[in-house]
Amino acid sequence: MRRETRTALSLVGVVVTMGALAWAAVPFYDWFCRVTGFGGTTQVSSAAPDEVLDEMVRVRFDANVDPNLEWTFRPLQTRMDLQIGENGLAFYEAINNSDQPITGTASYNVAPEVAGYYFDKIECFCFTEQTLQPGERIEMPVSFYVDPRIVSDRDAGRVRDITLSYTFHRTEPKRAALDSAPAETIN
């Protein structure tokens, strides 16, 4: 095989490998963050643990809105004190300030980041898209707990103040949501 052909095939191989790695990077990073709590990524659970400790933790609530989203978004409580392992239920409010339906998705994290591995959500509005009609106001729940294993973690064991932060971003609604929306009436 000629040297130029080998070089060309090697370069094509490098490009294909780089493309495959770039394609796999996003799902791998998402998986890594969920498994390790990296970057303050929270965990998902089906139920609160049976064990509730006598130690308390304070959870603060934060809300932000992407500038391209014409919503008001805020927590209905600024903080909650609960026992480690106890199920907490907090509410956020969203209002569509525009004259058109808007769909948004919430991204989230906790601070300090080391607490992300021990902050578990049972139910959350952030798991699905939210579509608000013009002027619509909704209250959205988040059910969560702080895993009792946090107290034995060398780095997170002394964390007793955690901030749960959400940012709503404008998204295009999924096709199923469009299909279930009521049709407009033309007079």
Side-chain angles (χ1 to χ4, degrees), residues 1-20:
M1 208 186 320
R2 289 183 33 197
R3 190 168 128 187
E4 292 85 12
T5 305
R6 279 196 312 261
T7 302
L9 288 175
S10 294
L11 289 174
V12 167
V14 167
V15 168
V16 168
T17 301
M18 295 291 281

Side-chain angles (χ1 to χ4, degrees), residues 80-169:
M80 184 180 292
D81 295 325
L82 60 150
Q83 292 175 276
I84 294 175
E86 178 183 2
N87 187 44
L89 182 63
F91 289 88
Y92 282 76
E93 173 188 63
I95 303 169
N96 180 351
N97 300 314
S98 77
D99 60 356
Q100 60 186 339
I102 297 179
T103 300
T105 303
S107 60
Y108 53 87
N109 70 342
V110 297
E113 292 179 3
V114 70
Y117 185 73
Y118 299 100
F119 196 96
D120 289 67
K121 293 182 188 172
I122 299 169
E123 289 201 27
C124 182
F125 58 89
C126 60
F127 295 161
T128 59
E129 292 180 335
Q130 304 296 322
T131 300
L132 275 65
Q133 298 303 313
E136 183 178 7
R137 175 194 171 275
I138 60 170
E139 290 183 10
M140 301 173 293
V142 57
S143 175
F144 65 93
Y145 66 90
V146 177
D147 192 316
R149 295 178 301 153
I150 193 171
V151 297
S152 27
D153 184 284
R154 183 183 64 150
D155 297 320
R158 291 187 294 278
V159 171
R160 294 300 179 267
D161 284 297
I162 298 173
T163 300
L164 175 60
S165 181
Y166 290 98
T167 302
F168 252 105
H169 305 274

